[in-house]
């Protein structure tokens, strides 16, 4: 079977997921995987890994020859702006299309039913995606019947990760985190959760690994907890850092777009107890034997206090989480699931490939994947601008992710489509 992957790029977590499936798929089966990128890669690590393992990586130049080679085309989607134009201009090809969503689709970037329905097959990277609140009950049942779960974990091998063995606490009780440090990812009340912990655990220390964020560090200084926080920046060996944690605290924004959450899998594979919010994709990843799912700062503090007081509890949760990961997150099984979904979709009669419903302009493509609240804010701000009325207050109320530089934000769309007046004017207003 010839499997063609189409992706905006091979960076970050999506690069790990796509390259891992392609490489392992060729190792396990007599298939050929090729990857077509829509954007020049900024980081070439996963591209080089593919080429080393005989997976060809091509840049899109308008030539549809690869489409004719493919038995099935897998569209890796997370609403990157260049993907919107590619789908809008999608050429007529005979191969069926399999959607592989790398965002949960229940928050921005949203997954409208009309978009999902346009594909011959559907892959999700979290069961949470199947519960999309914007779909009707009938649509939800129909999507569940047509979709499969394939984790975005690449060649993740938890058995090769060294587990934590020392569960003794010393001078500090360390609550660690690794990942994105801005409020598009972290909970807006993150500081309140940390304050609640500090009130109960005098020696609590928070280690936040990742590219540093000015807004978060400003809030830490204002909270009076500055001496309790360590920001080591980017860390190359995350598992080694995790083994120094007493607990992995994962307090994410309720509207975050994540799915597999590889860093959470790594923490459990390291044997570190975890504590997260009972929401979104987290509730599908963390089992009761691995840690706590909480709903309030008080519950978070109570759970961490119990861990602080009991070495036995820390070890039990750590071992329970690692056992769960070893049992349920096998890269070979994940690749087999992917391959079976490709085989089944390739054998089904294909749909007509027409994505005209996305709209005719970058502004319309951006609006299409917004939730109703943010769409109203954006369209009202745009209308006010056209009438010479104040519009900034609407943008102040939009979701934090829409203000980021990338992540399919307003700024991201405007940067890639500078000819679109609506995007650029709103982006300038947002910056101001």
């Amino acid at each position: 079977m010839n499997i063609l992957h189409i992706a905006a790029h091979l960076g970050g977590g999506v690069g790990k997921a796509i390259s891992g499936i392609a490489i392992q798929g060729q190792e396990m089966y007599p298939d050929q995987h090729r990857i077509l990128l829509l954007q020049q890669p900024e980081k070439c690590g996963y591209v080089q890994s593919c080429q080393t393992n005989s997976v060809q990586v091509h840049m899109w130049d308008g030539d549809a020859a690869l489409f004719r080679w493919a038995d099935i085309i897998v569209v890796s989607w997370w609403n990157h702006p260049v993907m919107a134009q590619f789908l809008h201009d999608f050429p007529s090809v005979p191969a069926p299309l399999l959607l592989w969503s790398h965002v949960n689709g229940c928050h921005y970037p949203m997954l409208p039913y009309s978009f999902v329905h346009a594909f011959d097959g559907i892959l999700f990277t979290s069961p949470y995606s199947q519960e999309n609140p914007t779909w009707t009950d009938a649509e939800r049942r129909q999507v569940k019947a047509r979709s499969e779960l394939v984790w975005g974990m690449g060649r993740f091998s938890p058995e090769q990760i060294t587990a934590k063995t020392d569960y003794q606490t010393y001078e500090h009780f360390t609550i660690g985190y690794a990942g994105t440090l801005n409020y598009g990812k972290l909970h807006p009340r993150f500081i309140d959760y940390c304050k609640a912990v500090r009130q109960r655990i005098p020696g609590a220390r928070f280690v936040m690994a990742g590219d540093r964020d000015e807004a978060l560090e400003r809030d830490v200084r204002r909270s009076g907890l500055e001496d309790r926080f360590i920001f080591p920046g980017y860390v190359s060996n995350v598992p080694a850092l995790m083994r120094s944690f007493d607990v992995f605290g994962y307090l994410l924004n309720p509207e975050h777009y994540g799915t597999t959450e590889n860093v959470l899998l790594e923490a459990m594979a390291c044997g570190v107890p975890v504590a997260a919010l009972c929401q979104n994709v987290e509730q599908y990843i963390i089992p009761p034997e691995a840690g706590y799912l909480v709903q309030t700062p008080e519950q978070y503090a109570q759970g961490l206090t119990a861990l602080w007081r009991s070495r036995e509890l820390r070890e039990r949760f750590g071992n329970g989480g690692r056992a769960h990961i070893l049992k349920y997150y096998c890269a070979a099984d994940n690749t087999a699931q992917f391959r079976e979904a490709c085989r089944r979709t390739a054998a089904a009669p294909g749909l007509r490939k027409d994505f005209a419903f996305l709209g005719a302009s970058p502004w319309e493509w951006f609006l299409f994947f917004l939730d109703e609240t943010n769409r109203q804010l954006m369209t009202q701000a745009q209308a006010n601008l056209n009438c010479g009325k104040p519009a900034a207050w609407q943008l102040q109320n939009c979701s934090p992710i829409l203000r980021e530089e990338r992540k399919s934000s307003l700024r991201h769309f405007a940067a890639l489509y500078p000819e679109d007046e609506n995007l650029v004017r709103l982006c300038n207003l947002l910056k101001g």
Side-chain angles (χ1 to χ4, degrees), residues 125-139:
T125 41
S126 170
Y128 178 58
S129 296
Q130 296 176 326
E131 307 299 330
N132 195 301
T134 66
W135 302 340
T136 66
D137 290 341
E139 289 171 346

Side-chain angles (χ1 to χ4, degrees), residues 102-284:
H102 296 270
V103 293
N104 63 57
C106 298
H107 310 285
Y108 184 76
M110 301 294 294
L111 262 178
Y113 175 77
S114 59
F115 182 70
V116 173
H117 185 65
F119 289 83
D120 301 295
I122 311 159
L123 296 178
F124 291 128
T125 41
S126 170
Y128 178 58
S129 296
Q130 296 176 326
E131 307 299 330
N132 195 301
T134 66
W135 302 340
T136 66
D137 290 341
E139 289 171 346
R140 204 172 290 117
R141 288 192 298 269
Q142 196 268 349
V143 170
K144 285 184 177 181
R146 296 181 56 223
S147 62
E148 302 286 350
L149 176 65
V150 174
W151 301 112
M153 63 182 187
R155 291 185 290 172
F156 175 62
S157 302
E159 69 280 0
Q160 297 180 10
I161 295 178
T162 302
K164 182 182 179 73
T165 56
D166 183 6
Y167 288 90
Q168 182 65 44
T169 58
Y170 296 95
E171 179 182 359
H172 300 286
F173 183 74
T174 302
I175 301 102
Y177 171 90
T180 304
L181 295 182
N182 61 43
Y183 287 116
K185 186 75 169 182
L186 292 174
H187 196 282
R189 294 186 62 198
F190 174 78
I191 297 298
D192 292 338
Y193 282 83
C194 296
K195 282 184 175 180
V197 171
R198 181 68 176 85
Q199 289 172 358
R200 287 174 173 262
I201 307 175
R205 178 180 65 176
F206 305 92
V207 177
M208 308 291 293
D211 292 333
R212 301 180 67 161
D213 180 75
E214 181 180 347
L216 175 63
E217 295 188 36
R218 177 199 64 215
D219 289 348
V220 168
R221 290 192 297 271
R222 290 176 177 175
S223 70
L225 296 176
E226 188 173 8
D227 64 330
R228 297 285 92 193
F229 273 80
I230 296 175
F231 293 96
Y234 173 79
V235 174
S236 58
N237 191 342
V238 174
L241 177 66
M242 286 179 171
R243 287 188 289 272
S244 71
F245 298 162
D246 294 299
V247 61
F248 188 76
Y250 209 54
L251 302 172
L252 301 190
N253 190 307
E255 296 184 355
H256 78 85
Y257 54 81
T259 54
T260 303
E261 299 303 314
N262 283 284
V263 70
L264 194 53
L265 305 185
E266 287 184 2
M268 288 191 280
C270 286
V272 180
V274 295
L277 295 173
C278 186
Q279 62 175 19
N280 210 312
V281 303
E282 298 94 304
Q283 61 189 314
Y284 293 93

Side-chain angles (χ1 to χ4, degrees), residues 337-370:
Q337 182 84 343
F338 175 86
R339 204 248 183 182
E340 176 59 20
C342 288
R343 186 199 63 77
R344 193 162 46 246
T345 304
L351 300 172
R352 187 170 66 90
K353 315 304 186 295
D354 185 358
F355 292 92
F357 60 85
L358 295 178
S361 69
W363 168 245
E364 292 176 336
W365 305 335
F366 172 66
L367 292 178
F368 184 84
F369 294 104
L370 289 176

Side-chain angles (χ1 to χ4, degrees), residues 23 37 42 91 141 154-155 170 226 229 255 302 330 352 371 378 383 390 416 418:
I23 293 169
L37 301 183
E42 295 181 6
R141 288 192 298 269
R155 291 185 290 172
Y170 296 95
E226 188 173 8
F229 273 80
E255 296 184 355
Q302 290 169 4
C330 170
R352 187 170 66 90
D371 61 278
M378 291 292 170
L416 291 179

Side-chain angles (χ1 to χ4, degrees), residues 22-83:
I23 293 169
Q24 190 153 26
Q26 287 195 172
E27 292 174 348
M28 293 176 59
Y29 302 103
D31 298 333
Q32 286 293 311
H33 289 251
R34 295 182 183 178
I35 300 174
L36 180 64
L37 301 183
L38 308 181
Q39 194 177 52
Q40 286 288 346
E42 295 181 6
K43 298 179 180 179
C44 297
Y46 291 121
V47 173
Q48 292 172 352
S49 180
C50 286
Q51 294 170 340
T52 300
N53 289 277
S54 302
V55 173
Q56 295 182 22
V57 179
H58 304 263
M59 289 302 306
W60 173 240
D61 59 3
D63 184 358
L66 272 178
F67 298 157
R68 294 188 291 271
W69 166 87
D71 295 314
I72 185 163
I73 297 172
V74 182
V75 176
S76 281
W77 182 87
W78 58 95
N79 198 35
H80 192 285
V82 300
M83 180 61 77

